[in-house]
Amino acid sequence: MTALVTGGASGIGYAIVEELAGFGARIHVCDISEAKLNQSLSEWEKKGFQVSGSVCDVASRPEREELMQTVSSQFDGKLNILVSNVGVIRSKPTTEYTEDDFAFHISSNVEAAYHFSQVSHPLLKASGYGSIIFVSSIAGVISFDAGSIYGLTKGALIQLAKNLACEWAKDGIRANAVA
């Protein structure tokens, strides 16, 4: 199995990489922090895991496209698992959010996941067994007293997973959201 885990050098992404690598998957990780990425890659190498990595700001379309070219080359045009893990939050009352806050959340949490789905589709389909996992949040299902934009973006991921699960089933690609 092959996998791409976005934001995989720390937190939930790191734990997902550890689990997949423990099952023997070959994994490519991207992270915005070169220092965290290098530290994690060193730890995984010591464990004998097959993990490579790239620095990538998922809010950048050109960087996402470059990352997918790297993944395609590395995995011979096939990908079994896309874990869209990156998520950002600026928690504040709705009336205090700015245009920049909105753009920050949408580009990192929704646009990146959507675009990664699009550009990974041919690789997932070519694998004969593709799976997309969106790391959403309970904030996408229930309400909180702050972080409305974050909740909006995480709810969007849940809906995206539902749509892709129906649309891409014919291509042998599953899509799920985990909160």
Side-chain angles (χ1 to χ4, degrees):
M1 289 287 185
T2 60
L4 168 61
V5 180
T6 67
S10 62
I12 294 170
Y14 185 94
I16 291 168
V17 171
E18 291 264 312
E19 190 71 13
L20 291 173
F23 286 121
R26 292 182 303 137
I27 304 160
H28 193 83
V29 174
C30 78
D31 204 275
I32 197 168
S33 169
E34 185 173 9
K36 281 183 187 176
L37 178 63
N38 289 336
Q39 179 184 351
S40 296
L41 289 171
S42 176
E43 292 169 11
W44 293 322
E45 183 179 4
K46 289 175 189 170
K47 294 179 179 182
F49 293 159
Q50 298 178 62
V51 183
S52 58
S54 299
V55 174
C56 178
D57 177 357
V58 301
S60 166
R61 187 176 189 90
E63 289 188 38
R64 291 190 302 261
E65 290 172 349
E66 182 179 333
L67 174 65
M68 289 310 298
Q69 289 173 357
T70 299
V71 168
S72 181
S73 295
Q74 187 170 352
F75 297 143
D76 301 318
K78 297 178 182 175
L79 181 66
N80 297 107
I81 304 165
L82 167 63
V83 180
S84 185
N85 169 63
V86 171
V88 297
I89 184 170
R90 292 178 182 165
S91 188
K92 54 174 101 171
T94 299
T95 56
E96 294 180 19
Y97 278 119
T98 65
E99 180 180 353
D100 178 64
D101 292 325
F102 190 83
F104 174 72
H105 284 86
I106 294 295
S107 66
S108 298
N109 294 0
V110 179
E111 183 184 345
Y114 191 88
H115 187 225
F116 274 128
S117 297
Q118 289 179 311
V119 295
S120 69
H121 179 269
L123 307 178
L124 293 163
K125 185 176 178 179
S127 76
Y129 173 81
S131 183
I132 301 172
I133 299 105
F134 296 107
V135 177
S136 181
S137 169
I138 195 70
V141 181
I142 64 170
S143 16
F144 292 96
D145 62 353
S148 62
I149 296 174
Y150 176 79
L152 172 145
T153 64
K154 293 303 184 169
L157 292 180
I158 293 167
Q159 188 60 43
L160 178 58
K162 291 176 184 180
N163 285 89
L164 294 182
C166 292
E167 183 180 345
W168 291 355
K170 69 184 180 330
D171 297 326
I173 301 170
R174 297 178 313 136
N176 290 282
V178 178

